[in-house]
Amino acid sequence: MKYRKLGKTDLNVSVVGIGTWQYGGEWGKDFTQKEVDEILDKAKEMGINLIDTAECYGDHLSEKFIGNYLKNQKREDWIVATKFGHHFHESFTRTNHWSAGEVVKQLDDSLRALQTDYVDLYQFHSGGDDVFQNEELWTVLDKQIEAGKIRHLGISIGSNENIYQTDLATEVNAGVIQVVYNRLNRKPEEKVFPSCERQNLGVLARVPLASGYLSGKYKPGTVFGQNDVRNNHEQSEVFKQLKLVEEIQRNEVPEGVNMAQWALAWCLKHPAVTSVIPGCKNVEQVELNARASDLELVSDQHPQAVEV
């Protein structure tokens, strides 16, 4: 595993992390604690130290699975990132909660679910610019840092073109941007990444496998189940994307290289990207994802590379 310094923070993160939206039950599968424990055990074995979650992946459900695992671990071995701004009601249904008081309550509920005294990274979760412009919110979050409940703040931007929030990251004391970035969606390269590099922000690339489409497992015409978030995607767009994936596999992925590993490494070659946070449903996927770190695309000369 390779490691990179997460921008201006003091966190050294594995270049491959674990995304955990799937533990909330909206990706076609309900998880057991045993399955989550096995996935995180394998992640640790492979050198992964970054877990990204959110309060609305289930009603703190993903966080609870992670907390039940962490209580038997050395907390300092893990970098735990979670998010705020939403409340889960049922599958694919959330309400927004952005006031300072509501966010402090969300933080306390997340800490309780995660069974920890602090989160390493607390992220503004895909909110609009209107709720981002809230001095009271950022002031109260700074107070949570002073209280030791948060180590660093981040912004998980909802739109890949949200340069407004990205440009203001340093001003609101956020050191990390999380953004959708993958071979099918390169929009952040235009404005967001240059801003991140100017400010020395860490970048977490979410959906690096384009909702699994870049795994190479799905053919044009695939239909996803009702309990899978991908069932809500526009079917004509899914068909178009999967056709493009076939072309990429044919023309860009070297022979003998697993497509999912290549897709993760492809993201990691960009000088702004610190780490990718793919979701994984089983131990085999964790190991496969982790080995993306071994590909030549993932350079030791990256601007954020560190020896651990």
Side-chain angles (χ1 to χ4, degrees):
M1 182 54 61
K2 295 183 177 77
Y3 299 86
R4 291 175 181 172
K5 186 172 165 61
L6 190 59
K8 63 181 81 173
T9 76
D10 59 357
L11 304 174
N12 292 330
V13 297
S14 51
V15 296
V16 178
I18 297 272
T20 64
W21 181 3
Q22 68 277 17
Y23 300 160
E26 293 177 312
W27 282 85
K29 174 178 166 56
D30 291 326
F31 283 80
T32 65
Q33 186 66 52
K34 181 173 181 287
E35 288 172 317
V36 173
D37 290 350
E38 287 170 353
I39 285 169
L40 295 178
D41 274 342
K42 175 56 75 172
K44 186 177 180 184
E45 180 191 320
M46 300 301 296
I48 292 172
N49 68 359
L50 172 64
I51 305 173
D52 180 79
T53 187
E55 87 292 15
C56 64
Y57 297 165
D59 185 4
H60 295 276
L61 178 58
S62 173
E63 291 178 332
K64 286 171 186 167
F65 279 131
I66 294 162
N68 285 335
Y69 177 79
L70 287 177
K71 70 182 179 185
N72 299 314
Q73 300 289 310
K74 283 171 67 178
R75 174 64 181 86
E76 61 271 22
D77 287 347
W78 292 94
I79 292 166
V80 180
T82 193
K83 309 182 192 78
F84 65 86
H86 310 289
H87 179 63
F88 174 95
H89 293 276
E90 59 185 1
S91 285
F92 318 122
T93 305
R94 285 129 171 84
T95 48
N96 298 326
H97 302 271
W98 297 107
S99 74
E102 287 173 314
V103 169
V104 171
K105 181 186 183 303
Q106 288 173 51
L107 172 62
D108 289 338
D109 288 346
S110 287
L111 292 173
R112 202 171 300 114
L114 288 164
Q115 301 189 49
T116 184
D117 297 328
Y118 67 95
V119 289
D120 298 280
L121 180 64
Y122 201 45
Q123 302 163 97
F124 177 89
H125 193 183
S126 303
D129 294 346
D130 54 334
V131 290
F132 182 86
Q133 298 166 320
N134 181 349
E135 196 172 322
E136 187 186 1
L137 171 63
W138 297 105
T139 299
V140 84
L141 287 170
D142 281 338
K143 286 180 180 167
Q144 306 312 301
I145 293 175
E146 287 168 21
K149 288 153 70 172
I150 300 169
R151 289 180 69 189
H152 300 282
L153 294 173
I155 305 166
S156 181
I157 57 177
S159 161
N160 286 357
E161 301 176 82
N162 195 321
I163 193 63
Y164 175 79
Q165 292 179 17
T166 305
D167 274 349
L168 286 175
T170 301
E171 198 170 303
V172 298
N173 196 27
V176 180
I177 294 292
Q178 185 179 137
V179 62
V180 172
Y181 180 57
N182 56 60
R183 175 59 187 81
L184 298 179
N185 190 334
R186 303 179 65 167
K187 209 72 191 164
E189 294 174 357
E190 294 172 17
K191 295 178 182 174
V192 168
F193 286 171
S195 179
C196 291
E197 290 175 290
R198 281 194 302 274
Q199 297 177 75
N200 188 24
L201 303 177
V203 171
L204 302 181
R206 72 177 183 269
V207 204
L209 296 176
S211 302
Y213 302 150
L214 281 166
S215 67
K217 289 191 300 187
Y218 304 110
K219 300 301 173 199
T222 298
V223 176
F224 296 95
Q226 292 288 328
N227 63 341
D228 191 314
V229 69
R230 290 171 293 191
N231 183 263
N232 300 327
H233 294 179
E234 178 61 50
Q235 288 309 298
S236 61
E237 187 59 28
V238 172
F239 184 85
K240 198 163 73 178
Q241 290 207 321
L242 290 174
K243 290 292 281 183
L244 181 54
V245 167
E246 286 187 329
E247 283 178 39
I248 292 168
Q249 185 153 25
R250 197 163 47 244
N251 301 325
E252 297 181 38
V253 182
E255 200 165 333
V257 173
N258 175 276
M259 185 165 196
Q261 289 177 340
W262 174 87
L264 297 178
W266 181 92
C267 296
L268 290 164
K269 74 178 170 51
H270 194 285
V273 175
T274 316
S275 182
V276 291
I277 44 174
C280 44
K281 289 186 176 178
N282 53 51
V283 168
E284 292 72 30
Q285 287 182 4
V286 180
E287 185 163 353
L288 188 83
N289 292 346
R291 293 198 186 284
S293 172
D294 299 335
L295 297 186
E296 277 182 36
L297 285 171
V298 186
S299 170
D300 290 328
Q301 307 307 311
H302 189 276
Q304 298 174 1
V306 290
E307 297 268 343
V308 174

